[in-house]
Amino acid sequence: MRVATGFVGLLVTRQLSLLFVKARRMYTKNMEAQDAARQLLQAWISRKWIQTKLEYPLVSNIEQVYAIHAAMTKSPLAQKLGGHAGYKQGGVGAVQGQECVYGVLFGRGILDEREWTGYTSISRSEFNLFGLEAEVGFLLGEDLPPRRRGYSEAEVFSAVSEIVLCIECTGTRHTLNGLTSLERLADCCCGAGVIMGPRFYPSHVAGDMGLEASQLDGLVARIFVSGQEKCSGATTGNPCGSPTASLAWCANHLNKRGLGLRSGQLVIAGAICKTSDFTDNEDIRVVFEGLGEARARIRA
């Protein structure tokens, strides 16, 4: 009896020791993610961009990327950037075994053209901008909370309140070259600003005159800088092959992580085309064939 009791006690002690080690590793992982999030957010807020590799977070796997993103959304510093306001899709083929990667958006960088007369103005220096992308965006009108089974494309689309033609303005919190794909993705997937152009109500009932999900399939967009066409592409290049499939992927990927999309959040579905061929004080027009155009002006 004493031998059995001693053996059970040994097993319990070993299990407790393993749980302690696991908890310590989890705590360390969370602290590392919080430190990385604080570094990136502080650089954004202060506009003192990270200039040396020693200052930049160490990132070696996709789980660290998402841990940093999650820590950024929960950080008190996020409120200085307008708070967590949505997600962006991208990184197609950037990480082996991953369909794509999502990044986080903050409110300060989301600009609504309805609040501007003429071209919506965005500062290159404020966001350390380097690129422009044509994107389809979705504003959520309903929550999509985490649940045991995933969401279908139709279920996700039914939660959309508005479809928005967008210009994503990509930027970084650093001035470094030679970063790995994972290190670049940890930095909000290079998310910085989004200019929201024309809006459309989605079709949820036959005959309601809304924009149907199928109308976004194969949608062509072109970016013009000071009147010159710089690039063109179609939504077939979006993650998962279409804007709505990309949105559903985002919802389900969050779902697996115990997270969800919330009403009022914006999700941009991935680049239709992109360019970095622009300078300050140039007018930007992004034309979405058959639907309209979004406009912006880049200032210093």
Side-chain angles (χ1 to χ4, degrees):
M1 179 65 72
R2 289 180 181 176
V3 172
T5 303
F7 181 69
V8 171
L10 183 63
L11 284 177
V12 170
T13 301
R14 181 174 175 78
Q15 285 295 105
L16 289 173
S17 178
L18 289 172
L19 286 172
F20 174 76
V21 170
K22 185 176 180 181
R24 186 174 180 180
R25 285 176 179 168
M26 182 64 72
Y27 174 79
T28 301
K29 178 181 176 183
N30 288 338
M31 287 303 295
E32 288 174 350
Q34 290 172 22
D35 287 343
R38 184 164 51 251
Q39 283 177 290
L40 293 167
L41 290 171
Q42 191 58 56
W44 198 349
I45 292 164
S46 67
R47 302 185 203 174
K48 295 178 181 177
W49 314 119
I50 298 172
Q51 297 181 353
T52 69
K53 195 71 181 289
L54 289 174
E55 298 174 86
Y56 199 81
L58 294 173
V59 185
S60 59
N61 59 65
I62 191 64
E63 291 305 317
Q64 288 178 308
V65 170
Y66 287 135
I68 292 170
H69 291 175
M72 291 178 84
T73 66
K74 297 173 184 176
S75 170
L77 292 175
Q79 296 308 311
K80 294 185 178 181
L81 293 171
H84 180 209
Y87 295 90
K88 60 161 289 181
Q89 298 280 88
V92 177
V95 181
Q96 187 175 3
Q98 301 290 317
E99 181 80 31
C100 59
V101 182
Y102 67 76
V104 290
L105 299 174
F106 293 94
R108 194 173 83 182
I110 298 177
L111 307 176
D112 189 342
E113 73 166 17
R114 297 178 302 182
E115 298 174 2
W116 296 76
T117 300
Y119 285 73
T120 306
S121 176
I122 187 167
S123 167
R124 180 199 287 267
S125 60
E126 182 179 352
F127 295 97
N128 199 26
L129 302 182
F130 69 85
L132 302 169
E133 300 182 1
E135 306 229 5
V136 173
F138 299 97
L139 280 168
L140 276 293
E142 299 176 14
D143 292 344
L144 290 172
R147 67 184 191 186
R148 184 168 298 179
R149 62 185 177 86
Y151 289 95
S152 68
E153 266 188 56
E155 287 177 308
V156 173
F157 190 70
S158 69
V160 173
S161 62
E162 291 181 281
I163 299 166
V164 192
L165 307 183
C166 296
I167 305 173
E168 184 187 5
C169 304
T170 50
T172 64
R173 272 44 66 180
H174 62 84
T175 59
L176 301 171
N177 294 315
L179 293 180
T180 67
S181 293
L182 288 168
E183 287 170 334
R184 289 195 300 272
L185 292 169
D187 182 20
C188 293
C189 292
C190 298
V194 179
I195 293 169
M196 298 195 298
R199 302 181 180 209
F200 301 85
Y201 291 113
S203 176
H204 293 317
V205 179
D208 63 5
M209 303 300 290
L211 195 64
E212 297 181 6
S214 61
Q215 290 178 265
L216 302 174
D217 295 343
L219 176 66
V220 172
R222 292 180 168 82
I223 298 179
F224 294 85
V225 178
S226 295
Q228 294 187 341
E229 183 176 333
K230 297 296 183 179
C231 63
S232 64
T235 54
T236 49
N238 279 170
C240 306
S242 77
T244 49
S246 176
L247 176 64
W249 183 94
C250 183
N252 286 315
H253 202 79
L254 290 169
N255 190 42
K256 292 175 184 177
R257 295 175 176 277
L259 303 170
L261 293 172
R262 300 193 305 274
S263 177
Q265 287 185 328
L266 172 70
V267 179
I268 52 175
I272 302 172
C273 60
K274 62 179 73 175
T275 184
S276 58
D277 187 7
F278 64 94
T279 58
D280 296 340
N281 302 315
E282 291 202 278
D283 293 337
I284 313 299
R285 292 173 53 242
V286 179
V287 178
F288 297 80
E289 285 193 358
L291 292 180
E293 64 180 60
R295 302 185 297 173
R297 178 169 291 132
I298 308 299
R299 68 179 191 275

